[in-house]
Amino acid sequence: MRRFTLRTGIRWKITLAIAAVGALTALALSLVVHSAARVSMLESAREAELERVQFIARTDAGRKPIWGAKLNDPELPAELREKARSGRRGTYVQESRKGPVVWAAVPLGNGQVLSLNHRFQESANMVRDLDRALVVGSLAVVIGGSALGVLIGGQISSRLRKAAAAAQRVAHGDPDVRVRDAVGGVVRDETDDLARAVDAMADALQQRLEAERRVTADIAHELRTPVTGLLTAAELLPPGRPTELVLDRARAMRALVEDVLEVARLDSASERAELQDVALGEFVSRRVSTLMPEASVRVVADEIVSTDPRRLERILGNLLANAARYGRPPIQVDIEGRVVRVRDHGPGFPEALLLEGPSRFRTGSTDRAGVGHGLGLTIAEGQARVLGARLTFRNVAAPGGATGEGSAAGAVAVLWLPEHAPTATGSFPIIQLPG
């Protein structure tokens, strides 16, 4: 079962985090301020009521009370009545739907109780105004925090995206790219540490690849002379089956050495294309008839292209050889403008090749393996880079819709020649693929 994953940017994660922290902080502070303000106002109201009722008791005892004070008020809360009858003065807050009511009572002679009450209306209005101000302030804090999160997160996200784009260019083989330079910025943070680490890793990997290329080229170069001597000596042997076997293996070894040397030259980016104007349809048709007469050729649209005929023939020969070795007939070659397609009807390319491209000394699955060293498509792709072209690979889906390695109805290699002649060999393709 496929696991669902939600992809979000770091900008929105930081924004959400800051907004959540700001909202929680504002809520906590609002509750504390609201509670403290209400308690303070109630205490002030209780003290004021108590002072008023004491003043009335001192000045109007035995006469009719003033300011709404009452003697033995039946609505006086029982708790406060019992406290006053025991000879103590006190206050009491009575909650109601219209707001709290503050009571104050003092004992008089003969068991009488003088009380005064006041509804907490003005103070309640002040609390409501305070609550509205707290809500507005909290919203301002959340909005301001979100804007700050977008700003900070946007800067971090932008730096990380630049670093990722530069790392992708390094992964695609551009050795001159430096992630630290691509990130830029004045402030130094963890992104710069990551960029420096990626640059150091890319430099170390480039040095290892260069050392590997030099070793491979040196070995192949040193093998060329003895292999050539071996082939010459084998040709002098008397005719017979053993001689044929020795010649066959010697020729295969010489071909392998030449392929390894060619791969090393392509990796070093020292190859230069010798450009000529050729009619692509006519050129491919003649070369296919020579290299593989049994293959069918279809020219949908011919076009004059500026390219290196020798390298183009090398690419075409390797694609045909790969189709004949690992695929099944019929083999079809289509030319449409600047695009050349070579298709076989075999089990298709292995998944590793479709995902990662050709790799030396890797022939893929057993369905398309058994012989060869995986150098043919590697050389073809390298020669395409020299021409400024692009070489892509795909499989044709099986009629029944089956999926998986070996279930395709054929393999298709497509060579996309550029509209303009290459100006720098060994660079990335300048052609833009459709879509």
Side-chain angles (χ1 to χ4, degrees):
M1 183 175 64
R2 185 176 181 181
R3 186 178 180 182
F4 175 76
T5 57
L6 180 62
R7 177 180 174 87
T8 57
I10 191 173
R11 170 188 299 181
W12 304 116
K13 291 179 181 178
I14 293 177
T15 301
L16 182 61
I18 293 179
V21 171
L24 292 176
T25 304
L27 177 62
L29 290 177
S30 298
L31 292 176
V32 171
V33 171
H34 170 83
S35 178
R38 190 174 186 276
V39 169
S40 176
M41 291 180 181
L42 285 174
E43 289 296 327
S44 298
R46 294 170 73 159
E47 291 178 2
E49 290 300 302
L50 186 59
E51 289 179 0
R52 291 177 64 186
V53 74
Q54 287 178 334
F55 176 78
I56 295 172
R58 287 193 301 267
T59 57
D60 297 300
R63 296 183 299 164
K64 183 178 180 179
I66 60 175
W67 297 344
K70 296 181 180 180
L71 286 173
N72 303 321
D73 190 348
E75 296 182 359
L76 182 67
E79 180 181 346
L80 184 58
R81 180 184 292 110
E82 294 298 328
K83 185 176 183 180
R85 285 179 178 177
S86 65
R88 295 178 298 169
R89 64 179 185 272
T91 59
Y92 184 83
V93 178
Q94 185 179 33
E95 299 292 344
S96 66
R97 293 183 178 179
K98 296 182 180 180
V101 178
V102 179
W103 289 84
V106 295
L108 299 177
N110 303 323
Q112 292 182 329
V113 177
L114 180 66
S115 63
L116 182 67
N117 67 81
H118 175 71
R119 188 172 297 278
F120 190 65
Q121 189 63 40
E122 295 82 2
S123 298
N125 293 335
M126 294 178 61
V127 171
R128 282 195 294 270
D129 293 341
L130 176 62
D131 290 342
R132 282 194 291 268
L134 290 174
V135 170
V136 173
S138 299
L139 290 177
V141 169
V142 173
I143 294 174
S146 300
L148 182 63
V150 171
L151 179 62
I152 297 176
Q155 292 180 347
I156 297 176
S157 178
S158 176
R159 289 166 64 83
L160 289 177
R161 289 181 186 276
K162 291 178 181 178
Q168 288 256 350
R169 292 175 59 189
V170 172
H172 288 155
D174 191 347
D176 298 327
V177 175
R178 286 294 174 268
V179 180
R180 178 64 194 86
D181 296 337
V183 170
V186 178
V187 180
R188 297 290 184 264
D189 54 20
E190 289 79 1
T191 307
D192 298 274
D193 299 335
L194 174 63
R196 282 191 289 268
V198 173
D199 287 338
M201 180 183 66
D203 291 338
L205 181 60
Q206 187 66 26
Q207 292 174 1
R208 292 187 61 181
L209 291 176
E210 181 64 22
E212 177 187 344
R213 185 194 64 79
R214 285 198 302 266
V215 170
T216 303
D218 293 342
I219 293 175
H221 189 272
E222 292 297 327
L223 286 175
R224 172 186 274 181
T225 300
V227 167
T228 302
L230 177 62
L231 181 60
T232 303
E235 291 174 348
L236 300 177
L237 294 175
R241 182 59 181 168
T243 301
E244 292 177 0
L245 294 175
V246 172
L247 283 173
D248 179 69
R249 293 298 87 195
R251 291 191 181 101
M253 185 177 295
R254 184 176 65 176
L256 175 60
V257 171
E258 294 296 337
D259 286 346
V260 171
L261 283 174
E262 186 172 358
V263 170
R265 289 195 301 269
L266 292 172
D267 287 345
S268 66
S270 60
E271 295 288 279
R272 297 292 182 269
E274 298 178 1
L275 302 177
Q276 298 180 21
D277 291 337
V278 297
L280 186 61
E282 179 185 358
F283 178 86
V284 173
S285 299
R286 286 190 286 107
R287 292 302 185 272
V288 172
S289 63
T290 302
L291 296 170
M292 186 176 292
E294 66 274 15
S296 61
V297 181
R298 184 180 62 155
V299 181
V300 179
D302 200 357
E303 189 170 339
I304 303 297
V305 297
S306 180
T307 187
D308 188 328
R310 181 181 64 84
R311 299 183 188 279
L312 181 58
E313 182 176 2
R314 177 67 161 153
I315 297 172
L316 188 61
N318 283 14
L319 295 181
L320 291 173
N322 185 81
R325 178 175 295 169
Y326 302 117
R328 299 191 189 100
I331 297 175
Q332 302 172 353
V333 180
D334 296 336
I335 303 97
E336 184 176 355
R338 298 176 176 274
V339 180
V340 180
R341 295 181 179 87
V342 178
R343 177 187 176 182
D344 63 59
H345 290 74
F349 291 115
E351 289 297 325
L353 187 143
L354 296 178
L355 294 174
E356 304 172 10
S359 178
R360 67 195 70 176
F361 303 110
R362 185 183 65 187
T363 58
S365 66
T366 56
D367 291 333
R368 295 179 61 89
V371 291
H373 305 88
L375 295 178
L377 293 183
T378 303
I379 292 173
E381 188 180 51
Q383 294 290 4
R385 286 199 304 269
V386 176
L387 297 179
R390 178 77 176 271
L391 187 59
T392 61
F393 306 93
R394 64 180 178 87
N395 289 336
V396 180
T403 58
E405 190 170 302
S407 61
V412 181
V414 185
L415 178 65
W416 309 76
L417 290 172
E419 183 176 356
H420 303 287
T423 56
T425 59
S427 61
F428 285 100
I430 58 177
I431 189 172
Q432 297 295 327
L433 297 183

